[in-house]
Amino acid sequence: MASISALKAQKILRESNLKSVTRADISKLFDISKKNTLYKLMLRLEKYGILSRVAKGKYIFPENIKNDFEIANIITTPSYISLESALSFYGILSQFPYVITSITPLKSSKTDYKGKEFEFNHISESLFWGFEKKDGFLMASAEKAFIDTLYLASKGLRRIDLDELILSSLNKEKINRFAKLVNFMPFQKRIKRLKI
């Protein structure tokens, strides 16, 4: 593939407005049926930086990605930004964590991409709610990020230092409503002790 072909591929990807693709997507987009031709095209698109592999079988088109939170949602689907990353985003946690933290109903995992660590924490499907789309990525509400953190801490899977959190901006009614939906006794005991 000559560099002009790479430019044409870049133009097609740009016009598609896709943020992420799989090999099957590229095969359809460029009407390629031969595996070897597809493989060579993918290698060249990566070489020229037009595509970047973020996980097995998942590639992003960096031109269409605005931030690391979008990348996190692509690496593991379904997932939403929560825990320290969301708490920092909302100004509840004053420092910005190095690790980009997400919640998923899938198995917990960690991924490194371009020197950044992405962490995906498992939560049961019954607790996979309380998020919305913001600027192209899924993010927990401030209250749900707090509930997620407290829930994982009550399971011994996360540490939470309430002195580091600015809880005054949280909607206490929403926290209490969300807390009632968490059917886990250690969590319920912990939330009651907080007297929110």
Side-chain angles (χ1 to χ4, degrees), residues 9 16 20 37 47 58 63-66 75 103-105 115 128 131 138 142 155 158 160 163 177 185 190:
S16 73
S20 66
T37 304
K47 178 183 174 186
K58 291 184 183 181
E63 267 187 41
N64 289 348
I65 300 286
K66 294 180 201 137
I75 291 171
I103 291 291
T104 181
F128 192 75
F131 55 90
L138 297 176
K155 291 187 89 172
R158 199 140 211 100
I160 184 170
D163 294 333
R177 195 171 69 243
M185 193 52 69
R190 195 163 191 168

Side-chain angles (χ1 to χ4, degrees), residues 61-74:
F61 182 49
E63 267 187 41
N64 289 348
I65 300 286
K66 294 180 201 137
N67 58 55
D68 293 332
F69 291 165
E70 286 182 85
I71 294 171
N73 284 176
I74 292 166

Side-chain angles (χ1 to χ4, degrees), residues 5-59:
S5 297
L7 290 173
K8 283 182 185 176
Q10 185 176 27
K11 184 176 186 265
I12 290 167
L13 284 164
R14 186 180 293 132
E15 290 169 357
S16 73
N17 285 326
L18 292 171
K19 292 182 181 186
S20 66
V21 292
T22 63
R23 285 179 191 239
D25 295 330
I26 294 293
S27 177
K28 285 180 193 170
L29 201 57
F30 294 97
D31 195 27
I32 298 170
S33 57
K34 292 183 180 177
K35 284 185 178 182
N36 192 42
T37 304
L38 178 62
Y39 175 75
K40 286 179 180 176
L41 174 63
M42 297 294 288
L43 280 179
R44 289 200 172 102
L45 292 177
E46 279 190 272
K47 178 183 174 186
Y48 292 121
I50 296 167
L51 287 182
S52 182
R53 184 179 179 269
V54 292
K56 186 176 180 181
K58 291 184 183 181
Y59 300 81

Side-chain angles (χ1 to χ4, degrees), residues 28-163:
K28 285 180 193 170
L29 201 57
F30 294 97
D31 195 27
I32 298 170
S33 57
K34 292 183 180 177
K35 284 185 178 182
N36 192 42
T37 304
L38 178 62
Y39 175 75
K40 286 179 180 176
L41 174 63
M42 297 294 288
L43 280 179
R44 289 200 172 102
L45 292 177
E46 279 190 272
K47 178 183 174 186
Y48 292 121
I50 296 167
L51 287 182
S52 182
R53 184 179 179 269
V54 292
K56 186 176 180 181
K58 291 184 183 181
Y59 300 81
I60 60 168
F61 182 49
E63 267 187 41
N64 289 348
I65 300 286
K66 294 180 201 137
N67 58 55
D68 293 332
F69 291 165
E70 286 182 85
I71 294 171
N73 284 176
I74 292 166
I75 291 171
T76 298
T77 305
S79 69
Y80 62 87
I81 304 298
S82 189
L83 309 169
E84 294 87 357
S85 293
L87 293 173
S88 175
F89 179 86
Y90 292 115
I92 296 162
L93 178 64
S94 58
Q95 64 230 22
F96 189 80
Y98 169 74
V99 178
I100 294 150
T101 53
S102 297
I103 291 291
T104 181
L106 305 176
K107 187 178 175 184
S108 293
S109 64
K110 288 183 181 183
T111 299
D112 286 320
Y113 174 71
K114 301 228 178 204
K116 293 186 180 170
E117 191 175 331
F118 295 82
E119 180 182 277
F120 301 90
N121 298 270
H122 169 77
I123 204 164
S124 71
E125 285 199 32
S126 65
L127 296 175
F128 192 75
W129 45 263
F131 55 90
E132 61 188 9
K133 194 161 197 164
K134 289 182 181 291
D135 301 323
F137 56 87
L138 297 176
M139 164 91 65
S141 68
E143 293 77 14
K144 182 57 164 58
F146 177 70
I147 292 288
D148 287 343
T149 305
L150 200 60
Y151 172 74
L152 291 177
S154 66
K155 291 187 89 172
L157 300 172
R158 199 140 211 100
R159 189 186 73 75
I160 184 170
D161 185 351
L162 295 173
D163 294 333

